[in-house]
Amino acid sequence: MKKLLSTLILSAGMSLSASATTSLLDNSVVGYSDFTSGTADFGIQKDSVSLTEDEGYLTLSGAIFNGYGNNNRDIMTVTMVLDLSKINTPETYTTLFNAKNNNVSWGVGLNTERKLQGLWANASYSGPVVATPLGTEGSLTISVVTGDLGTRIYFGDSDTFYSSSGLKFGNQEINQILIGAELSDSIEQLYIHDSLLSQDQIGQLMSEIASIPEPATASLGLLGLAALMMRRRRV
């Protein structure tokens, strides 16, 4: 009976995983459908990445991001699903993510008004790049796209975005993504592309992300399916 239960759960889990596999998720460099697990399940370099925590940061390393666009500007897309209830308003800015190598870094953080703040060389860049503060309930998907024209941040959907023309750099090979440890618990899903996703692609990616069942929901579904099959077997 235990063997039957294990087989059913494994089979159902494989089915759920297959249904979540979609093109833009698979074409990421690395992707986490459950970030807290620490295990990447999407992306062309998913097997080479590692997550370590040190000095207040959670560091993703082992993958190389080296896509270049016009004028050799770095192109990159970072997409996160955030649990807003787990984000405390910081006393100073905190790092949502920093893309870096030994010489330079850029990224996005959160300022004291709960607004997304551009980061350059691990310091605040200009003013907040998003006028809307983060809420305190529910989930929010953001996509940060950088390239020749600067950085565009999609806020919840593909139609709402903010731009910062100066937040960009070029001809750099990124080998680390740093996430503030105090914000890492708020990240439900994370996907990184070494390409400049278009507005339509951001919409497609957000739809694909929304179709992935939450870990708790998936677990309940598996248990329910296994219980139903065992009930039928006894009858």
Side-chain angles (χ1 to χ4, degrees):
M1 184 178 296
K2 290 183 178 179
K3 184 177 180 180
L4 173 62
L5 179 60
S6 299
T7 302
L8 287 170
I9 291 177
L10 177 61
S11 299
M14 292 175 63
S15 176
L16 282 172
S17 176
S19 66
T21 302
T22 45
S23 59
L24 281 176
L25 297 180
D26 282 335
N27 288 334
S28 62
V29 173
V30 62
Y32 297 80
S33 62
D34 176 13
F35 187 67
T36 58
S37 72
T39 302
D41 47 4
F42 292 102
I44 56 177
Q45 297 185 43
K46 66 176 184 178
D47 295 329
S48 63
V49 300
S50 63
L51 283 170
T52 56
E53 185 172 351
D54 186 38
E55 297 181 354
Y57 290 99
L58 196 65
T59 302
L60 187 154
S61 55
I64 302 297
F65 311 92
N66 58 0
Y68 301 138
N70 295 332
N71 301 318
N72 284 330
R73 292 291 182 184
D74 287 286
I75 56 176
M76 192 175 189
T77 301
V78 179
T79 303
M80 293 179 168
V81 181
L82 301 174
D83 181 345
L84 300 179
S85 68
K86 294 182 179 180
I87 298 178
N88 295 322
T89 304
E91 296 181 0
T92 59
Y93 81 86
T94 54
T95 304
L96 196 57
F97 79 88
N98 236 341
K100 70 181 295 292
N101 58 23
N102 293 330
N103 301 312
V104 69
S105 66
W106 76 277
V108 172
L110 194 69
N111 68 14
T112 57
E113 297 178 330
R114 295 179 70 87
K115 295 180 179 179
L116 296 180
Q117 168 75 55
L119 302 179
W120 179 262
N122 204 32
S124 60
Y125 175 85
S126 186
V129 291
V130 173
T132 304
L134 297 186
T136 57
E137 296 180 356
S139 295
L140 175 70
T141 303
I142 65 168
S143 284
V144 184
V145 183
T146 188
D148 187 50
L149 299 179
T151 295
R152 174 180 283 188
I153 299 179
Y154 292 88
F155 199 75
D157 57 56
S158 59
D159 294 324
T160 306
F161 58 85
Y162 303 83
S163 298
S164 179
S165 61
L167 189 57
K168 59 187 177 182
F169 59 76
N171 207 26
Q172 300 288 332
E173 183 176 86
I174 297 301
N175 54 32
Q176 287 186 328
I177 304 293
L178 271 62
I179 298 168
E182 67 273 33
L183 292 177
S184 62
D185 287 344
S186 68
I187 301 174
E188 297 178 337
Q189 299 182 47
L190 170 68
Y191 305 94
I192 305 172
H193 292 76
D194 61 353
S195 57
L196 197 159
L197 297 186
S198 68
Q199 185 172 0
D200 287 343
Q201 286 176 315
I202 291 295
Q204 179 185 345
L205 177 61
M206 288 186 175
S207 294
E208 293 177 3
I209 289 172
S211 70
I212 297 177
E214 295 181 4
T217 303
S219 298
L220 289 173
L222 292 175
L223 291 173
L225 177 62
L228 178 62
M229 294 298 290
M230 291 185 68
R231 180 181 177 184
R232 288 180 175 176
R233 184 171 182 266
R234 284 196 295 267
V235 172

